[in-house]
Amino acid sequence: MQKNFELLATDRHSKARRGRLTSAHGVINTPAFMPVGTQGSVKGVSPRELRELNAQIILGNTYHLFVRPGLDVIKRFGGLHDFMNWSGPILTDSGGYQIFSLAKLRKITEDGVEFQNHIDGARAFISPEIAMEIQVLLGSDIAMALDECVPYPCEYDYAAQSTEMTTRWAKRCKEWKRRNGETAKRGLADSPIRPLADSFLFGIIQGATFEGLRKENAQAIVDLDFDGYAIGGVSVGEPEEEMMRAVEWAEPFLPENKPRYAMGLGTPPQLLELIARGMDMFDCVLPTRLARNGTAFTAAGTVNLKNAEFILDKNPIEENCTCEACREFSRGYIRHLIKAEEILGLRLITLHNLHFYLNLMNQARAEIGNGTFEQFRKAFVAGYKTRDAVTVE
Amino acid sequence: MQKNFELLATDRHSKARRGRLTSAHGVINTPAFMPVGTQGSVKGVSPRELRELNAQIILGNTYHLFVRPGLDVIKRFGGLHDFMNWSGPILTDSGGYQIFSLAKLRKITEDGVEFQNHIDGARAFISPEIAMEIQVLLGSDIAMALDECVPYPCEYDYAAQSTEMTTRWAKRCKEWKRRNGETAKRGLADSPIRPLADSFLFGIIQGATFEGLRKENAQAIVDLDFDGYAIGGVSVGEPEEEMMRAVEWAEPFLPENKPRYAMGLGTPPQLLELIARGMDMFDCVLPTRLARNGTAFTAAGTVNLKNAEFILDKNPIEENCTCEACREFSRGYIRHLIKAEEILGLRLITLHNLHFYLNLMNQARAEIGNGTFEQFRKAFVAGYKTRDAVTVE
């Protein structure tokens, strides 16, 4: 399939959009949620279960895969799709976010970033060009330009310099792809070989919490003409209003006919708020991570199934939910499994949570198509009780 | 279905038997392997996966379920079948084995055994009658009489006294069932209520490593006329030859028309050896427990997928295996998952190992039917390399 993004509908009452992204490994209807497959596996579920959940695309973390199993292994298996037996689209991050949040002894220069990984401390160096090479080797359908993700809070001067460097890095990624687009092949070995030119490359907009930087950087990154645009430097511990502002400042600079990705976000109401602010794609570890702690998402908010109130509860996690966990098991049984540390417990909650997120996007797409997204968003946000325990990661 | 056991075929060259046990929740073709669902879950797999693996029957551990979630919870859900959403047959142990191996501060009297559980130290008392009541409440299709499982090694005098008490306890279980068979109902709440009389009650033969005790006890337990017979007090750390002898001493006393269950056993070659010695049913934690350590069963013996030799290995765990793990994933990928501590890794090895055990029983049944079991057993045992790491548990 030729890579392509079509804008199918726009909401009259908000900036919400209904789109369709066509990649070499399949179609992604937007707004879309991408389950996170950090280490070549979406934690707790199998690729078959992801297919049954109708996940359209998953995310692979370049940094984690670079550290373990390492590129020689991925290369031997012809890329990430074949390695993990997932034949749908894969978005890979550039590795930047994790280098800045997990790795040790980072040394950032104009050239790139040197670091020691968090597993065995081995030294490595990643430049914009190397980040591209790695993502090509992973067989990425949507690759991300290497950026520096500054922490929250961040001094203005540092943010300003960093944002400018992120722009120069983005340009180098674009340039690398232009020069290698027809020769570099994504995936190897037994996989059908596809030229890099068939894959998407997204630029990432930084700028910390500063309006001027966010706007300047949005313009600068858009001027480089990427296949899509991401808002980065969010989900780094900032308050929700700062996160929303980062998106609102950048969004007016983004071309209508390109997909927009809000990185690492968010809670269910946040996703709807971000859709209303013109975002199309999301990834977040909340549905899988909270499941491992016994927390399930429902339309009324999160519930922790470890709570004693569920001991004798014969109801499913959520009434009328059509996921496997809710069709077949009770809250009382799942609570028992979590308390007894049986793996099936976190599997079932993970299935439910991913279904919840994917289904929320399903609904959002339908409501946008029907012109009823604003009512839907307002009703959902009003009905969803946010607890302190759920914070943006 | 009326409870029933039919002996369908006997091997001409060994004591191997092909049978069919009909229980209220379905038919079990023997020889049969029963995956162990210790805490209301066969570790690492879902009931749906067990059905797909063609597991005919699973085992539930009375002691574990008594301690957690506790009987009030099981009662509320109408029994173990509904609680865990498994509609096939369930065999429950009496709780004795775990009281003697896990619980603290045990005090054994003629009346029963008082103990503190290993989770929160709460005191409890189980008698033969209470063990029956609990198994009725669990909704067991095959219940076990309460026995004392003595450790290995064991003094003759203690073993002799204990074995006699086990006989008296067995008699009390039988008597309890006779008196309550038509009134006590298995399962409650929404489940179809079935009278206890529809379920099987197996007697357990003890006698430690002493020929005289084993033979006397086999005769004494058989004289009580149970629905089936189990060899207990094996899989307690004794050498393999002691285990085989315990079975060989008791077997000649067992009636042909009743099922025979070798408790807690064993490795794949041991299962075939036990079938050749007239055993019909087996349960063992090896396939699920070893999977969690990265160890997979193959016809050539066990392999530990953590080993570096598998890093670049694109082959399945076992060539020509039809399990989900082998159809869809490579050794190299599964090794990565285990090293990265991704849950999917142990799930896939668990699926493979359970498939291996269940398929071995499938083959054994077919070979007995074809009159070729002896050749099959010898060829399998010769080809299976036993490593020190795999010991009987």
Side-chain angles (χ1 to χ4, degrees):
Chain A
M1 284 179 270
Q2 193 72 22
K3 78 163 190 269
N4 179 37
F5 177 74
E6 297 164 83
L7 187 64
L8 302 175
T10 51
D11 187 39
R12 291 179 55 194
H13 309 285
S14 75
K15 299 195 170 188
R17 303 139 48 91
R18 169 81 181 82
R20 183 165 53 216
L21 194 147
T22 303
S23 79
H25 283 92
V27 165
I28 301 139
N29 289 295
T30 62
F33 177 74
M34 306 183 281
V36 181
T38 308
Q39 302 189 103
S41 167
V42 175
K43 284 188 192 300
V45 295
S46 68
R48 175 178 113 172
E49 286 164 334
L50 288 169
R51 286 189 289 272
E52 291 172 355
L53 285 164
N54 296 316
Q56 306 183 87
I57 174 171
I58 63 168
L59 187 144
N61 284 123
T62 291
Y63 168 83
H64 284 284
L65 295 164
F66 174 82
V67 172
R68 191 171 56 193
L71 300 183
D72 288 346
V73 175
I74 301 285
K75 195 170 172 178
R76 157 81 176 160
F77 285 85
L80 186 54
H81 292 87
D82 283 8
F83 183 56
M84 67 180 288
N85 193 29
W86 168 256
S87 59
I90 296 177
L91 179 146
T92 52
D93 60 18
S94 66
Y97 181 88
Q98 265 92 22
I99 291 174
F100 296 109
S101 61
L102 288 177
K104 289 171 280 189
L105 288 176
R106 296 178 300 271
K107 193 181 153 202
I108 307 166
T109 64
E110 185 67 29
D111 207 21
V113 53
E114 199 183 319
F115 62 94
Q116 287 189 293
N117 79 53
H118 69 298
I119 300 289
D120 62 10
R123 285 186 171 282
F125 174 77
I126 286 186
S127 66
E129 293 78 12
I130 294 172
M132 290 301 295
E133 283 179 44
I134 296 172
Q135 292 179 84
V136 167
L137 199 148
L138 291 172
S140 178
D141 296 287
I142 304 177
M144 303 300 298
L146 186 67
D147 61 332
E148 183 185 1
C149 183
V150 299
Y152 175 85
C154 181
E155 298 280 334
Y156 179 85
D157 287 351
Y158 187 87
Q161 286 173 34
S162 166
T163 304
E164 282 178 22
M165 189 185 69
T166 282
T167 306
R168 292 190 296 273
W169 282 8
K171 192 175 178 181
R172 284 163 60 186
C173 288
K174 186 88 203 300
E175 179 60 17
W176 191 93
K177 190 181 178 190
R178 193 189 60 75
R179 273 194 277 118
N180 297 281
E182 298 305 326
T183 52
K185 306 297 182 192
R186 294 184 297 138
L188 290 163
D190 305 335
S191 286
I193 289 171
R194 299 180 193 89
L196 174 60
D198 274 4
S199 70
F200 290 80
L201 175 60
F202 282 20
I204 301 176
I205 295 158
Q206 292 287 347
T209 51
F210 304 103
E211 182 173 2
L213 295 182
R214 283 278 170 192
K215 290 180 170 179
E216 280 167 36
N217 196 232
Q219 187 62 61
I221 297 291
V222 169
D223 283 346
L224 292 172
D225 188 23
F226 283 93
D227 303 315
Y229 298 94
I231 313 293
V234 286
S235 188
V236 291
E238 77 281 8
E240 184 175 281
E241 60 265 34
E242 291 283 9
M243 178 263 282
M244 290 295 174
R245 276 204 288 259
V247 171
E248 289 163 6
W249 288 329
E251 188 276 334
F253 296 87
L254 305 179
E256 259 218 324
N257 62 343
K258 298 284 173 73
R260 296 108 168 252
Y261 164 27
M263 300 183 84
L265 297 168
T267 64
Q270 284 173 348
L271 292 202
L272 298 187
E273 293 297 343
L274 290 164
I275 290 170
R277 285 160 176 77
M279 296 295 110
D280 303 312
M281 299 165 67
F282 309 95
D283 77 289
C284 189
V285 294
L286 282 178
T288 45
R289 184 173 293 169
L290 293 192
R292 298 199 295 283
N293 179 39
T295 299
F297 286 92
T298 78
T302 56
V303 289
N304 193 319
L305 291 166
K306 281 186 184 166
N307 291 345
E309 63 183 299
F310 302 121
I311 291 177
L312 298 175
D313 195 336
K314 295 175 82 168
N315 296 306
I317 296 174
E318 184 160 34
E319 216 57 63
N320 301 320
C321 174
T322 59
C323 85
E324 185 184 339
C326 288
R327 283 198 320 266
E328 299 193 15
F329 303 96
S330 65
R331 291 175 163 191
Y333 178 60
I334 296 171
R335 178 189 189 273
H336 162 66
L337 294 176
I338 294 288
K339 294 295 281 185
E341 296 181 3
E342 287 288 345
I343 283 166
L344 182 60
L346 66 88
R347 272 180 67 183
L348 294 175
I349 304 178
T350 301
L351 284 175
H352 171 81
N353 285 353
L354 287 174
H355 173 88
F356 186 88
Y357 266 69
L358 294 165
N359 189 50
L360 186 67
M361 295 298 101
N362 254 335
Q363 279 188 271
R365 290 194 297 270
E367 304 282 354
I368 295 168
N370 295 339
T372 50
F373 177 74
E374 273 303 276
Q375 297 96 295
F376 169 68
R377 176 182 65 81
K378 283 178 186 158
F380 183 91
V381 172
Y384 190 94
K385 191 176 154 208
T386 301
R387 300 189 186 195
D388 294 333
V390 181
T391 54
V392 186
E393 291 179 82
Chain B
M1 283 179 271
Q2 194 72 21
K3 79 164 189 269
N4 178 34
F5 177 75
E6 297 165 83
L7 186 64
L8 302 176
T10 51
D11 187 39
R12 291 180 56 196
H13 309 284
S14 74
K15 299 195 170 189
R17 302 139 48 92
R18 170 82 181 81
R20 183 164 54 215
L21 194 148
T22 303
S23 79
H25 283 92
V27 165
I28 301 139
N29 288 295
T30 62
F33 177 73
M34 306 183 280
V36 181
T38 310
Q39 303 188 103
S41 169
V42 175
K43 284 189 192 296
V45 295
S46 67
R48 177 178 112 173
E49 286 164 334
L50 289 169
R51 287 188 288 272
E52 290 173 355
L53 285 165
N54 296 316
Q56 305 183 89
I57 174 171
I58 62 170
L59 187 144
N61 283 123
T62 292
Y63 168 82
H64 285 284
L65 295 163
F66 174 82
V67 172
R68 189 169 58 191
L71 300 183
D72 287 347
V73 174
I74 301 284
K75 194 170 174 177
R76 158 78 177 162
F77 284 86
L80 186 54
H81 292 87
D82 283 10
F83 184 56
M84 67 180 289
N85 193 30
W86 169 256
S87 58
I90 296 177
L91 180 146
T92 53
D93 61 18
S94 67
Y97 181 88
Q98 265 91 23
I99 291 174
F100 296 109
S101 61
L102 289 177
K104 289 170 281 188
L105 288 174
R106 297 178 300 271
K107 195 181 152 201
I108 308 166
T109 63
E110 184 67 28
D111 206 20
V113 52
E114 198 182 322
F115 62 95
Q116 287 190 292
N117 79 53
H118 69 298
I119 300 291
D120 63 9
R123 286 186 171 282
F125 174 77
I126 287 186
S127 65
E129 294 77 12
I130 294 171
M132 291 301 296
E133 282 180 45
I134 296 171
Q135 292 180 84
V136 167
L137 199 146
L138 290 171
S140 178
D141 296 287
I142 304 177
M144 303 301 296
L146 186 68
D147 59 333
E148 182 184 3
C149 183
V150 299
Y152 174 85
C154 183
E155 298 281 334
Y156 179 85
D157 287 352
Y158 188 87
Q161 285 174 35
S162 167
T163 304
E164 282 177 23
M165 189 183 70
T166 283
T167 306
R168 292 190 295 273
W169 282 8
K171 190 174 180 183
R172 283 163 60 186
C173 288
K174 185 90 203 301
E175 178 61 16
W176 190 93
K177 190 180 179 192
R178 193 189 61 74
R179 272 194 277 115
N180 297 279
E182 298 305 326
T183 51
K185 306 295 182 191
R186 293 184 298 139
L188 290 162
D190 304 336
S191 285
I193 290 172
R194 301 181 193 87
L196 174 60
D198 273 3
S199 70
F200 290 80
L201 175 61
F202 282 20
I204 302 177
I205 294 157
Q206 292 286 348
T209 51
F210 304 104
E211 182 173 2
L213 295 182
R214 282 279 169 191
K215 290 180 170 178
E216 279 169 37
N217 197 231
Q219 188 61 61
I221 297 292
V222 168
D223 283 347
L224 293 171
D225 189 23
F226 284 94
D227 304 314
Y229 298 94
I231 313 293
V234 286
S235 187
V236 291
E238 76 283 7
E240 185 176 281
E241 59 265 34
E242 291 283 7
M243 178 263 281
M244 290 295 174
R245 276 205 287 261
V247 170
E248 288 163 7
W249 288 328
E251 189 277 334
F253 295 87
L254 305 179
E256 260 217 323
N257 62 343
K258 298 286 173 73
R260 295 108 170 252
Y261 164 27
M263 300 184 84
L265 297 170
T267 65
Q270 285 173 348
L271 292 202
L272 297 188
E273 294 296 342
L274 290 163
I275 289 170
R277 284 160 176 78
M279 296 295 111
D280 304 312
M281 299 165 68
F282 309 95
D283 77 290
C284 189
V285 295
L286 283 178
T288 45
R289 184 174 292 169
L290 293 191
R292 298 199 296 282
N293 179 39
T295 298
F297 287 93
T298 79
T302 55
V303 290
N304 193 320
L305 291 166
K306 281 186 182 166
N307 291 345
E309 63 183 300
F310 302 121
I311 291 177
L312 298 175
D313 195 336
K314 295 175 83 169
N315 296 305
I317 296 174
E318 184 160 32
E319 216 57 62
N320 302 319
C321 174
T322 58
C323 85
E324 185 184 339
C326 289
R327 284 198 320 266
E328 300 192 14
F329 302 97
S330 64
R331 289 175 164 191
Y333 178 61
I334 295 171
R335 178 189 189 271
H336 162 67
L337 294 176
I338 294 287
K339 293 295 282 186
E341 296 180 4
E342 287 287 345
I343 283 165
L344 182 59
L346 66 89
R347 272 181 66 184
L348 293 176
I349 304 179
T350 301
L351 284 175
H352 171 81
N353 285 353
L354 287 174
H355 173 87
F356 186 88
Y357 266 69
L358 294 164
N359 190 49
L360 185 67
M361 295 298 102
N362 254 334
Q363 281 188 270
R365 289 195 296 271
E367 303 283 355
I368 296 169
N370 295 338
T372 50
F373 177 74
E374 273 302 278
Q375 295 97 295
F376 169 67
R377 176 182 66 81
K378 283 179 185 157
F380 183 91
V381 172
Y384 190 95
K385 192 177 153 207
T386 301
R387 301 189 187 196
D388 294 333
V390 180
T391 53
V392 186
E393 292 178 83

